[in-house]
Amino acid sequence: MEVDDSASRVNWWSSDKCLAYYNVAVSGVPAMLNSQGCRIRLAKDFPGRVFDRAVSIGCATGGKEMALITDGLVKRFDLWEINQASIDEGERRAAELGLADQVTFRKGDVFADRSPRYDLVYWDHSLHHMSDVDDALAWSVAVLRPGGAILINDYVGPNRLQWRKDEVRRANSFIRRAMRDRGIASREVPYSTLFSKLRQRYRDPSEAPQSENILQACAKNLPGVRVERLGGTFINILGPFVIPAVTDDSPVIDELLSEDAALRDEGSSHFIFALWSRP
């Protein structure tokens, strides 16, 4: 079924089916709230544990982190964000939820202090925004108290969101087969060029400058870490093209998720999940 009003459907996270698919990969539960799978997984892997003090970098308005508090998984959060408007909105939301004394928004150089003081370091789609992912993870380990944990739920695909040629070819084949052959209008995914890379860097210098280095940084800084490849290659590339065009009851969504799972089985993943505990 085609969408009449696509204003609220902008990408894969706007789709309940896509969110359920992603959360199943993280937690085994088809939850339909953003990052709910992370909360479910944290509770499963640390039954009965309440993390006393946690930190999140690049938290925006802190909605994901406040959900961890309301779920009873974290007592208090230090939330670091560079955008003042996001901080102001986050503080307003915290006050509305009665969490003002449990969240502290901060602005500045989080990496300057490397003393062990946290029980949980939470990276939820923010690690790929760091200009030095290796140092960010080294800092994460340094600030952990014994028994503390690092949670990573993040993008590890091509730097600057510059899709590989084989990914674009397969994505456009899907558009022609699953959408245009059904009479659903859609433009094709453009190939990456030097110009598109420079344009992306100009538009958002923090967007995935070192995303391809995250796996290596995990292996280096988190001894014995088990990195789980979630898939997401197709939903990430095709989300802006497919989700605004159809509703969740369309067979196009089912085919999109089936193709994404096939790519994951072939070894292609744009997203990973890791949960590492310090001895």
Side-chain angles (χ1 to χ4, degrees):
M1 179 178 179
E2 291 191 49
V3 169
D4 295 319
D5 181 8
S6 61
S8 63
R9 291 175 66 85
V10 296
N11 212 319
W12 66 267
W13 54 82
S14 310
S15 159
D16 286 346
K17 270 192 176 179
C18 288
L19 280 174
Y21 167 83
Y22 190 98
N23 283 323
V24 163
V26 173
S27 67
V29 178
M32 289 186 291
L33 296 177
N34 195 13
S35 293
Q36 190 175 6
C38 292
R39 303 195 295 277
I40 294 170
R41 182 62 182 275
L42 195 62
K44 281 184 176 180
D45 284 23
F46 294 91
R49 174 83 179 266
V50 179
F51 294 89
D52 183 64
R53 189 178 181 190
V55 63
S56 178
I57 297 96
C59 65
T61 58
K64 299 172 184 177
E65 292 80 4
M66 291 183 212
L68 282 162
I69 294 175
T70 56
D71 279 3
L73 297 169
V74 173
K75 285 186 179 179
R76 51 198 174 121
F77 249 113
D78 285 343
L79 303 177
W80 291 80
E81 173 58 41
I82 62 173
N83 185 285
Q84 188 60 49
S86 294
I87 292 174
D88 293 343
E89 175 62 16
E91 290 177 337
R92 185 190 68 79
R93 291 185 184 183
E96 285 184 351
L97 292 170
L99 302 177
D101 60 343
Q102 291 176 269
V103 298
T104 302
F105 280 88
R106 301 182 183 277
K107 190 176 182 180
D109 183 7
V110 62
F111 300 119
D113 184 354
R114 301 192 177 223
S115 60
R117 58 197 185 278
Y118 292 114
D119 303 293
L120 175 67
V121 179
Y122 186 71
W123 292 104
D124 195 341
H125 288 281
S126 56
L127 182 58
H128 74 273
H129 287 289
M130 299 297 107
S131 59
D132 187 338
V133 296
D134 181 74
D135 186 62
L137 284 181
W139 173 88
S140 300
V141 174
V143 299
L144 271 188
R145 294 168 177 159
I150 297 172
L151 186 150
I152 302 170
N153 175 44
D154 227 301
Y155 167 75
V156 296
N159 292 345
R160 303 289 180 192
L161 311 184
Q162 300 302 295
W163 315 133
R164 301 182 180 97
K165 288 183 179 179
D166 61 314
E167 294 175 335
V168 175
R169 282 195 295 267
R170 191 157 174 173
N172 286 333
S173 175
F174 178 87
I175 287 174
R176 291 189 289 270
R177 180 182 71 254
M179 299 183 70
R180 289 182 178 173
D181 286 356
R182 287 187 170 98
I184 303 170
S186 176
R187 67 192 192 281
E188 292 195 351
V189 180
Y191 284 92
S192 298
T193 64
L194 177 59
F195 176 74
S196 67
K197 183 177 182 179
L198 292 173
R199 180 176 58 188
Q200 176 62 50
R201 183 174 181 176
Y202 174 77
R203 286 178 174 175
D204 185 355
S206 76
E207 184 58 79
Q210 291 192 349
S211 51
E212 294 176 28
N213 296 354
I214 290 176
L215 289 172
Q216 182 180 356
C218 285
K220 176 183 174 182
N221 293 284
L222 311 177
V225 67
R226 178 172 173 256
V227 174
E228 300 170 25
R229 297 174 184 267
L230 305 177
T233 298
F234 245 38
I235 64 173
N236 196 33
I237 295 173
L238 285 167
F241 300 84
V242 174
I243 302 306
V246 298
T247 54
D248 270 10
D249 59 358
S250 169
V252 175
I253 301 292
D254 296 324
E255 291 176 23
L256 175 71
L257 298 180
S258 177
E259 186 94 8
D260 193 280
L263 277 164
R264 180 179 60 210
D265 292 342
E266 294 170 21
S268 177
S269 283
H270 274 197
F271 303 115
I272 62 159
F273 179 86
L275 190 51
W276 180 84
S277 182
R278 182 172 189 171

